[in-house]
Amino acid sequence: MALKKTFAVAAVMALSTMSVAACSGDDDGGSGDSSGGNVSMELWQNATTGPGKAFWEKAVADFQTANPTVKIKIQSIQNEDMDGKLQTALNSGSAPDIFLQRGGGKMAAMVEAGQLKDITADITAETKQAVGDAALQTAQVDGKSYAVPVSILPGGFWYSKDSFEKASVTATPTTIDELTSAAAKLKANGTPIALGAKDAWPAAHWYYFFALRSCSPAALDAAAKDKTFTDPCWTKAGQDLKTFADTKPFNDGFLTTSAQQGAGSSAGLLANRKASMELMGAWDPGVIASLTKDTKPLPDLGFFPFPAVPGGQGDAAAIMGGADGYSCAADAPKECADFLNYLLTKDVQEAYYKAFNSLPVSKQAQGAVTEDYLKAVLDAYNKAPYVSQWLDTVYGQNVGNALNVGVVNLLAGKGDVAGIVKAVNDAAKKG
């Protein structure tokens, strides 16, 4: 395995640290309650439909069967609503006991506010062996564990091999010029690039990847530390995005298209062969599968990394993605950590992979992976010299929101590149 350069914005792991995330529900019990030896906890997660929801129902039921004094109430929250609702709950002192954790700057802010439980001593030897120290370190602040990673979700292009073949695109693009050429052929054939810009963050992801190619690791690191975005690479990233967007590669109506909700979403367009590809994180195969007509994985699904962009200082093989995990609220009972260890057991991880078409974080479960597209993700990840977390995770919610708005305005013709950079700098000053 190649060693990867580590810097502040990187969630660099061993190859074995990839994947899982979600949940689902039961309505009994309260948050963090315990009486007469019984414990009730509340869990918030972002899987709301399909096999993933069924997986979590069974996983929680099995945990409760093995731990009859524990009752877990599950709240399934749409991904786009999760961060806002969770922050409100944390700030009001009504947080769930167990909840989805994005990591990075967002987790660090929660630690600073005293909102997370230190679970360092609660992570079992079995979990450490199955997952590995490198993965566990991505959920640490100052050497202490405040979450367990359940998924490493690198981003890139998920595409339909059939759509490429029908449009006479014979190879996956490795440069931005090749992507531009392929997109023109594919759109002319009725299968454009899918983009769900209504939800804003998928549009911002395009800027993130252009920034990954434009900015050096040192520039990304500097921005994380001093919260200023004055390096020329941030402007170049916006200019590169505008140049590409001006070729009109996206689906008609992309500004009013959602990302993951229904057949008309960007994932739904790919699932139903009305689009050829989508730039998204590694959760996308499971979302796409839930939106096909037979709710089964797209049989011709493939993956390729974001292509090289000329003139940048970032490595053309660098990868960007998330490091989702689960945390316990500061006042959660000890059974919360028991549940987190349970999520990383071999059988649960294998079941997760089968439900979500996603790479299990447990080394013990990775032998179950058979899909070519997941193997392609592993290959790209293994070759990456460094891996950056999503920029909104690294730089915080204020910067993330500013990027969301600024990029959508640029794509809508209501803003410019300078406006993105100014908005981000202004947002960064707010913390």
Side-chain angles (χ1 to χ4, degrees):
M1 181 187 309
L3 294 176
K4 301 176 184 178
K5 182 176 179 180
T6 305
F7 54 100
V9 303
V12 180
M13 299 185 164
L15 177 61
S16 61
T17 67
M18 304 182 74
S19 222
V20 351
C23 298
S24 141
D26 179 333
D27 294 328
D28 298 329
S31 178
D33 297 330
S34 85
S35 60
N38 294 323
V39 175
S40 295
M41 297 187 291
E42 187 171 8
L43 166 67
W44 284 16
Q45 54 73 38
N46 64 343
T48 59
T49 62
K53 188 173 188 297
F55 161 80
W56 283 102
E57 288 171 349
K58 184 178 187 304
V60 169
D62 288 348
F63 182 80
Q64 292 177 156
T65 298
N67 299 271
T69 62
V70 178
K71 189 70 173 177
I72 299 175
K73 174 184 177 181
I74 304 173
Q75 294 286 350
S76 299
I77 298 174
Q78 183 65 34
N79 182 67
E80 287 72 24
D81 299 331
M82 174 65 80
D83 288 3
K85 289 186 176 182
L86 179 59
Q87 195 60 57
T88 298
L90 287 166
N91 292 343
S92 65
S94 59
D97 302 279
I98 315 165
F99 52 86
L100 180 68
Q101 176 59 253
R102 309 286 192 187
K106 294 181 179 180
M107 185 175 75
M110 294 176 190
V111 172
E112 185 176 355
Q115 295 167 332
L116 301 184
K117 190 181 194 72
D118 178 356
I119 59 170
T120 307
D122 300 310
I123 298 175
T124 65
E126 291 79 9
T127 294
K128 292 177 181 179
Q129 182 179 7
V131 177
D133 289 341
L136 293 173
Q137 287 169 6
T138 65
Q140 294 178 352
V141 175
D142 295 330
K144 296 181 179 180
S145 293
Y146 292 94
V148 294
V150 294
S151 64
I152 290 299
L153 303 165
F157 284 97
W158 304 92
Y159 75 102
S160 162
K161 295 178 181 178
D162 289 350
S163 294
F164 272 47
E165 183 178 351
K166 290 177 181 177
S168 299
V169 178
T170 58
T172 55
T174 59
T175 68
I176 196 66
D177 286 344
E178 290 176 0
L179 180 64
T180 301
S181 176
K185 293 180 180 179
L186 289 158
K187 188 168 186 179
N189 205 48
T191 52
I193 298 176
L195 175 58
K198 178 182 178 181
D199 291 319
W201 59 266
H205 280 189
W206 279 86
Y207 180 83
Y208 295 0
F209 276 93
F210 276 110
L212 185 68
R213 296 291 178 258
S214 177
C215 297
S216 68
L220 295 172
D221 191 29
K225 290 178 179 177
D226 59 28
K227 296 298 189 293
T228 59
F229 296 82
T230 54
D231 192 291
C233 70
W234 298 106
T235 297
K236 181 183 185 309
Q239 292 170 338
D240 289 339
L241 171 57
K242 185 178 187 305
T243 298
F244 181 74
D246 283 347
T247 67
K248 301 187 184 305
F250 304 123
N251 51 291
D252 292 341
F254 69 88
L255 291 168
T256 56
T257 299
S258 66
Q260 301 176 347
Q261 303 172 50
S265 66
S266 57
L269 293 176
L270 181 53
N272 293 284
R273 306 188 181 283
K274 295 182 180 179
S276 56
M277 60 178 136
E278 176 177 36
L279 179 64
M280 191 59 65
W283 58 82
D284 212 26
V287 177
I288 293 168
S290 73
L291 297 172
T292 59
K293 292 179 180 179
D294 58 3
T295 64
K296 293 182 180 180
L298 197 68
D300 62 313
L301 188 65
F303 173 87
F304 64 92
F306 197 86
V309 181
Q313 298 181 13
D315 195 294
I319 291 285
M320 180 174 289
D324 286 355
Y326 278 85
S327 285
C328 295
D331 60 353
K334 63 181 180 63
E335 287 80 3
C336 178
D338 294 340
F339 183 74
L340 299 188
N341 282 304
Y342 160 77
L343 292 181
L344 299 176
T345 57
K346 180 175 182 290
D347 289 348
V348 175
Q349 286 273 284
E350 287 185 352
Y352 177 89
Y353 152 69
K354 293 174 183 176
F356 288 93
N357 309 114
S358 191
L359 291 162
V361 69
S362 169
K363 293 177 286 186
Q364 298 169 351
Q366 289 183 354
V369 175
T370 59
E371 289 83 356
D372 288 342
Y373 57 82
L374 293 181
K375 292 179 179 180
V377 175
L378 283 170
D379 182 60
Y381 185 85
N382 194 37
K383 291 177 179 177
Y386 51 89
V387 180
S388 171
Q389 289 186 345
W390 302 116
L391 298 190
D392 59 338
T393 300
V394 175
Y395 300 135
Q397 190 166 345
N398 286 335
V399 170
N401 289 341
L403 281 171
N404 288 349
V405 173
V407 173
V408 169
N409 284 342
L410 176 72
L411 297 178
K414 298 179 180 179
D416 56 19
V417 175
I420 294 177
V421 176
K422 181 181 185 304
V424 168
N425 277 308
D426 290 345
K429 294 175 184 177
K430 299 177 183 177

